[in-house]
Structures are given as C-alpha cells and as structure tokens.
Amino acid sequence: MMIFDDRLEITSPGTLPNRVTLENMRTTRFARNPKICHVLTSFEMVRELNEGVHRMYEEMDELGLPAPEFSEPNGMVVKLVLRNDIARRVPYVAAADEVPNMAGNKTDDRGLVVNGQELTPVERTALDIAARDGKVSTRILAQEAGIGLRTASKTLAALAERGLLTWHGTSRRDPQQHYTSK
C-alpha cells in the first residue's frame, strides 16, 4: 500500500480470480478463498460475497470522490487506486431543520454542529435511532443507514468517544451490545 496526498494505491499479488474481469468485478461474485469468506460472514464482518467492491464504489460516490480505479498493470498484480479529490469532495453537513435539536447542540447556517463538530448523515441517523428507540445497535444502524457493519460499528464507537452515546455490553463481541443517548 502506498499513500499519497491525492490517492491511496493498493497492489495485490496475482491476477483477478476465475471469471472476474476489470469490467464485471462490481457485479460478479467469486471468492478467492471461500473458507475465509465463510468465517468473515459468520463473525458479521461482511454481509455477503463481493460486498467490499460494491461498498467501495458506493462510499466513494457518497463522499463525492472519483470511483475506485482497478487495473492489472503487468498481468501479475491487481492494483486499486482510491483518489482523494479535495476539490470535488462533498462535505457531510446535516441541515439544522432535518435533525431535532438536542440539548447542547449549536446550529449554524451550514447545519447541525455538536461540540464544534459537524455530524455526518450516518451519525445523525444513529442519534435519531437512539432517540427514537432508546438504543441503537451496529446491525440496526447498518440496516437503516444502508451501510456495512464495520462502518456502522466505527460510527457508533466514534459517537461514544465524542460523548454523544454511551456503550453498553460485556465485550466488543457481545451480541447484545448497544448504545444509548447521553
């Protein structure tokens, strides 16, 4: 992996597996190692086969960034380039009229600000679920926000770190873990 100011480049040894091509990789499902896929699915780290490629396209688009670029530069490696186009990036700003004003929130003409930090739409969704249902879990946030479990988990942990949610559970692998509003 190589990190530059304007892009991230990841090179994986070997060629694309079986029937997967650069043109169809977003829609063609093929597990290079089905046993690893089964384990990752069992631990809910992925929801389905080929989720990662599709999710990369969705999240890059959601951020206003160029689509991922896959290539096979020398026929012996697969290269992925994720560009960081600051000029085209769409900032995450929640409109003040879309979110109920919670105690301590300050709003300005750009949107909702909590403790001096803008909320992303996914963070706003998490707080809305916690307010509506009394609690929010990784699975519920992932379903309602249309994101992956890993993204949902990181979002909830970040909100807890910022003091906006409280984590409840016995361990990070506790199936009953959840977050509540402060």
Side-chain angles (χ1 to χ4, degrees), residues 7 10 22 25 57 60 66-71 79-83:
R7 70 192 181 282
I10 301 166
L22 294 173
M25 73 182 326
Y57 277 92
M60 294 292 283
E69 301 168 17
F70 290 92
S71 64
K79 182 177 180 180
L80 167 63
V81 177
L82 301 173
R83 300 213 178 263

Side-chain angles (χ1 to χ4, degrees), residues 8 18 36 44 49 57 70 75 86 91-92 99 106 112 115 129 149 153 157 164 179:
L8 171 70
N18 200 352
I36 291 176
E44 298 180 353
L49 190 60
Y57 277 92
F70 290 92
I86 299 293
Y92 277 138
V99 182
K106 298 180 211 168
L112 180 65
N115 299 333
I129 295 168
L149 290 171
S153 178
L164 299 173
Y179 294 79

Side-chain angles (χ1 to χ4, degrees), residues 64-149:
L65 295 170
E69 301 168 17
F70 290 92
S71 64
E72 291 183 288
N74 62 10
M76 300 298 289
V77 298
V78 176
K79 182 177 180 180
L80 167 63
V81 177
L82 301 173
R83 300 213 178 263
N84 181 18
D85 187 352
I86 299 293
R88 289 182 52 209
R89 182 177 297 180
V90 176
Y92 277 138
V93 179
D97 61 348
E98 293 178 355
V99 182
N101 195 6
M102 299 175 294
N105 288 354
K106 298 180 211 168
T107 58
D108 61 16
D109 60 342
R110 294 182 311 155
L112 180 65
V113 178
V114 178
N115 299 333
Q117 297 179 336
E118 295 174 358
L119 291 176
T120 69
V122 174
E123 289 172 331
R124 185 180 73 232
T125 299
L127 294 175
D128 286 346
I129 295 168
R132 180 190 74 209
D133 300 342
K135 66 181 181 178
V136 60
S137 67
T138 300
R139 182 178 300 280
I140 295 297
L141 178 59
Q143 289 171 347
E144 291 199 25
I147 58 174
L149 290 171

Side-chain angles (χ1 to χ4, degrees), residues 31-46 48-49:
R32 189 177 283 196
N33 190 327
K35 289 181 181 180
I36 291 176
C37 288
H38 177 72
V39 170
L40 293 174
T41 303
S42 296
F43 282 103
E44 298 180 353
M45 297 179 84
V46 297
E48 58 187 58
L49 190 60

Side-chain angles (χ1 to χ4, degrees), residues 25-27 48 50-59:
M25 73 182 326
R26 190 168 178 189
T27 58
E48 58 187 58
N50 200 37
E51 174 190 35
V53 173
H54 182 68
R55 190 167 70 189
M56 270 192 288
Y57 277 92
E58 284 183 345
E59 291 192 15

